[in-house]
Amino acid sequence: MSAAPEGWAELVGGLEQHVSPEWSRHAHEHGGQGWIRLILLVDAHHQLSTPRVAEKVAMTMADLAADREGERAGWEAVRVKAEAERMELVARVVDSSETLLPDELLPLFVRSIEPTPPGM
């Protein structure tokens, strides 16, 4: 098995608290394989493309505090911060794909993360 490319361990370390232990195990054990990196990057992108628990809690609490403007604004600030942090991770996954995937697999990553137009 070949070694994972430079930057893989750093990316994995930055994502570990946001993905499952199973994801992390595969990343550590099989990161030297291009196809495994492709699958893991697509999976991480998918997981991080929807609001996480912190955002959902903040949205719900803001809705429940509709009559208490200060509290609602505080929860909205929490949601915005959590969303920004999540989107930074998504951008990091996408940006890293160019150096972490072999040239022949990069188009598959791009195609996998792009939304499918309606009717296709």
Side-chain angles (χ1 to χ4, degrees):
M1 176 171 67
S2 61
E6 186 176 332
W8 178 248
E10 182 181 344
L11 178 67
V12 170
L15 293 177
E16 282 189 298
Q17 68 180 16
H18 306 283
V19 294
S20 71
E22 180 184 26
W23 189 98
S24 296
R25 181 176 56 79
H26 283 289
H28 288 291
E29 293 176 5
H30 307 293
Q33 299 176 37
W35 279 100
I36 300 296
R37 286 193 309 277
L38 170 64
I39 293 164
L40 291 169
L41 289 173
V42 169
D43 187 66
H45 184 276
H46 174 74
Q47 289 182 52
L48 295 168
S49 292
T50 59
R52 310 292 290 186
V53 172
E55 290 172 76
K56 292 174 183 179
V57 167
M59 283 187 278
T60 300
M61 296 305 290
D63 288 346
L64 293 172
D67 296 337
R68 298 178 303 279
E69 184 55 34
E71 187 178 338
R72 190 202 61 72
W75 283 112
E76 181 59 19
V78 170
R79 185 201 61 78
V80 168
K81 182 178 185 276
E83 179 183 41
E85 290 170 354
R86 179 176 56 83
M87 295 313 296
E88 285 178 23
L89 289 170
V90 170
R92 188 171 175 198
V93 168
V94 172
D95 293 346
S96 297
S97 68
E98 294 181 17
T99 58
L100 296 177
L101 293 174
D103 291 341
E104 66 273 10
L105 297 180
L106 188 57
L108 297 174
F109 175 77
V110 171
R111 188 174 71 202
S112 294
I113 66 169
E114 291 180 354
T116 304
M120 301 229 33

